Structure formats: structure tokens, C-alpha cells
Amino acid sequence: MKKLERTFMLMSRAAATLGVLFLLLVAAMSVADIVIREITGRPIRGAHDLASLLTIIIIASSFPAGLLERRQIKVTVLGSFLPESINRAMEVLGAVLTGAMFLFIAYFVTLHAMRVSDSHQATMVLNMPIGPWWWIASICFWACIPAQLFVIIAEILGHPASQHQD
């Protein structure tokens, strides 16, 4: 179980790292755009187009790692009042419902990627196709499904979230 978790974690952290690098790129591009706009009076051509496309990946790429590390928001008010067995059952139910939610998100992002691709939508300034970016986001959300299945199985078996200090 630990080996599988480590493999999932390495893959999901690689995707999240790519998202962070894109976030830094968007931040640097925003600063450069402001500076150039102040100096020349004109923005960087297409900076907004690129930032919009990169933001799609920035958001989607962080979810698999967040799920594996169980960093989502949990409300545990009842857990302190209920017996341990019911508390564990509620943790499993929460993990199952989280998995169902990501299944719906992955499905609807895929439908959106299909619509955007079929209509050949492109960015306004650079005329870059938008579809491939949504397909990458769709892949990221589909990657959440096996990640959350792992979490569900870990919750059923009573394995707490590992402390990942790699």
C-alpha cells in the first residue's frame, strides 16, 4: 500500500509542480505586463490569453496531490461526539462523496473540452486553440478518480494520511 501511495504521490506532485511553475510564469508575466505598460503605454500582446490558458492548468493540476494528501476541508464536529466506529464510517462516506464529486467534475470538464474543441474556439489575441488546454485539465480531473479511490480504500482499511516529507 505504501509503495502504491508513493507512486501516486510522485505523479501527482509532478503535476502540481507544473501547476506551480505555471503560476510563477503567470505572476512574472503579469509583472512584466505592468512594467512594460507603464514604460511604453501598451500591454504585452497576448499576455491575457496565455494567463487564461495557464490558469486552467494551474487549478486542475493541484487537485490529485491535494486529494492524496487529504488536504480538503473536513468538518469533524460530530466526530468528537460519536463513537469511533461511526466516525470512521463517516470518514469513508466523506471520501466516497468526494470521489463522486470529482467524477462529476471530470465528466463535465470533459464535455466542456469536447464542446470547445468541436467549435474550434481560440483565444482572442493570439488565436491559440483553447481545446487542448481543456483536455489537459480533463486529464488532471480524471487523475483524481484513482487518487480518490486510493484514499477510499485507505480509509476503509483504517490507514491515516501519510506525512509526506519527500
Side-chain angles (χ1 to χ4, degrees), residues 2 5 15 26-27 29 43-44 68 74 85 91 126 131 133 156 161:
K2 289 280 186 196
E5 181 179 27
V26 168
M29 196 168 37
I44 296 175
L68 283 171
K74 292 192 310 186
S85 61
E91 291 287 338
L126 297 177
W133 297 86
I156 290 170

Side-chain angles (χ1 to χ4, degrees), residues 97-108 141-142 144-145:
L97 293 175
T98 299
M101 181 190 72
F102 274 95
L103 187 61
F104 283 118
I105 291 171
Y107 174 75
F108 285 108
F141 281 111
W142 282 108
C144 291
I145 306 308

Side-chain angles (χ1 to χ4, degrees), residues 45-57:
R45 184 177 184 273
H48 179 71
D49 285 358
L50 284 174
S52 297
L53 295 175
L54 290 172
T55 300
I56 297 166
I57 307 305

Side-chain angles (χ1 to χ4, degrees), residues 3-166:
K3 189 174 183 176
L4 182 60
E5 181 179 27
R6 182 166 169 70
T7 302
F8 275 148
M9 192 56 66
L10 288 174
M11 292 186 325
S12 65
R13 282 189 176 169
T17 301
L18 180 65
V20 169
L21 292 175
F22 283 172
L23 180 61
L24 292 172
L25 178 62
V26 168
M29 196 168 37
S30 297
V31 169
D33 188 42
I34 291 168
V35 170
I36 289 175
R37 190 179 302 230
E38 285 297 317
I39 294 170
T40 67
R42 303 181 74 205
I44 296 175
R45 184 177 184 273
H48 179 71
D49 285 358
L50 284 174
S52 297
L53 295 175
L54 290 172
T55 300
I56 297 166
I57 307 305
I58 291 166
I59 293 168
S61 65
S62 64
F63 282 107
L67 289 172
L68 283 171
E69 293 178 12
R70 302 180 202 170
R71 296 194 185 260
Q72 62 274 25
I73 296 171
K74 292 192 310 186
V75 179
T76 57
V77 174
L78 291 177
S80 60
F81 297 113
L82 297 173
E84 181 62 31
S85 61
I86 294 176
N87 193 23
R88 264 192 72 210
M90 289 177 66
E91 291 287 338
V92 171
L93 177 63
V96 169
L97 293 175
T98 299
M101 181 190 72
F102 274 95
L103 187 61
F104 283 118
I105 291 171
Y107 174 75
F108 285 108
V109 169
T110 301
L111 288 181
H112 182 70
M114 291 168 67
R115 281 192 297 271
V116 168
S117 295
D118 290 345
S119 64
H120 303 288
Q121 289 184 24
T123 60
M124 188 173 277
V125 176
L126 297 177
N127 200 32
M128 290 176 63
I130 297 171
W133 297 86
W134 280 103
W135 282 109
I136 294 168
S138 176
I139 291 167
C140 289
F141 281 111
W142 282 108
C144 291
I145 306 308
Q148 190 60 21
L149 282 174
F150 178 84
V151 170
I152 292 168
I153 292 167
E155 287 291 342
I156 290 170
L157 297 176
H159 294 291
S162 295
Q163 298 299 334
H164 302 283
Q165 303 296 327
D166 300 341

